[in-house]
Amino acid sequence: MVAAHAPVVRRARYAEVATIAALVTDAAHDLPLAEWLVPGPQQRPTVLTEAVRIWVEHALFFGEVDVLANADGLIGAGVWFHRYRQIPPPAAYEARLAAACHQHTERFTTLGRLLDGQRPETGHEHLTLLAIAPDHRATGIAARLLDHHHSRLDRYGTAAYTEAFSDVHRDLLARHGYQTRPPLHLTRHHTIHPMWRPGQPPDAGN
């Protein structure tokens, strides 16, 4: 049960794009994938934040972003895209990505091509990013974000898709009904796990 004083999940505002991008970077900068994308630890936070910002901003137009905040600021975010039909890339994407990533652009492009090539054609909602502030890991924030969004999807029997970039992430998603699909091998040492949550039939009693 959620405590009465606990913050509620809400939709993000456009003014929060930069804050959400920084939250994602803070949550993910030490993942093996992030280290592959930007090997230099000093450059990594800036590059990741600018790259992630492009997609957070895009989701506000072609999806939605759920956030949780406490008195100190944002502590969790889920970035979703509505993929019921084809959506365009972010405006001036190649130029913006190059400006954000500099010499690391090709690695981001390689990752993007790999993920795009495996995304299901069946209509679904795509959980692109799920980020929890490091100080709030293992406190149920991720589950609350997922449950909030899934409750809406389940009212309409809508499927969901995502990619897990770590074993912890994969285990969390499995507990929320996601099924693992064949893995994607970015490199010999970096494996990504696509995951699919079938649409739940709406309760016939409702």
Side-chain angles (χ1 to χ4, degrees):
M1 180 178 296
V2 177
H5 64 277
V8 297
V9 179
R10 62 170 174 80
R11 295 284 291 273
R13 298 182 290 269
Y14 189 84
E16 295 174 310
V17 167
T19 304
I20 295 166
L23 170 65
V24 173
T25 296
D26 197 28
H29 77 278
D30 57 350
L31 291 176
L33 177 62
E35 295 174 352
W36 179 81
L37 287 169
V38 187
Q42 293 183 326
Q43 294 177 308
R44 191 177 306 137
T46 299
V47 173
L48 290 179
T49 299
E50 291 304 311
V52 168
R53 180 172 182 157
I54 297 171
W55 289 102
V56 174
E57 180 181 282
H58 199 50
L60 292 179
F61 293 98
F62 293 96
E64 55 194 274
V65 181
D66 301 324
V67 295
L68 265 170
N70 62 15
D72 297 322
L74 296 184
I75 57 176
V79 179
W80 296 81
F81 281 93
H82 300 324
R83 295 197 178 274
Y84 314 129
R85 61 186 65 84
Q86 187 173 5
I87 63 175
Y93 178 61
E94 292 184 2
R96 292 182 67 187
L97 188 67
C101 302
H102 306 289
Q103 71 267 34
H104 310 293
T105 302
E106 182 57 33
R107 294 196 173 198
F108 281 85
T109 301
T110 297
L111 174 62
R113 284 197 299 261
L114 179 66
L115 299 182
D116 289 345
Q118 297 297 319
R119 190 176 301 119
E121 294 184 2
T122 303
H124 61 278
E125 293 212 357
H126 181 197
L127 176 59
T128 305
L129 299 165
L130 179 65
I132 309 303
D135 290 347
H136 293 271
R137 290 173 180 164
T139 62
I141 299 299
R144 288 183 59 195
L145 286 164
L146 290 171
D147 288 343
H148 173 84
H149 205 88
H150 291 161
S151 68
R152 184 178 64 77
L153 299 187
D154 292 347
R155 286 200 297 271
Y156 303 100
T158 304
Y161 173 77
T162 191
E163 299 95 359
F165 301 107
S166 70
D167 291 342
V168 171
H169 191 193
R170 181 174 52 173
D171 292 346
L172 167 70
L173 294 164
R175 293 195 297 272
H176 286 266
Y178 286 82
Q179 303 165 359
T180 303
R181 292 189 158 194
L184 306 178
H185 299 289
L186 180 63
T187 73
R188 291 178 56 191
H189 307 290
H190 298 87
T191 300
I192 299 166
H193 296 277
M195 303 190 75
W196 177 256
R197 185 178 187 269
Q200 308 297 309
D203 189 341
N206 289 342

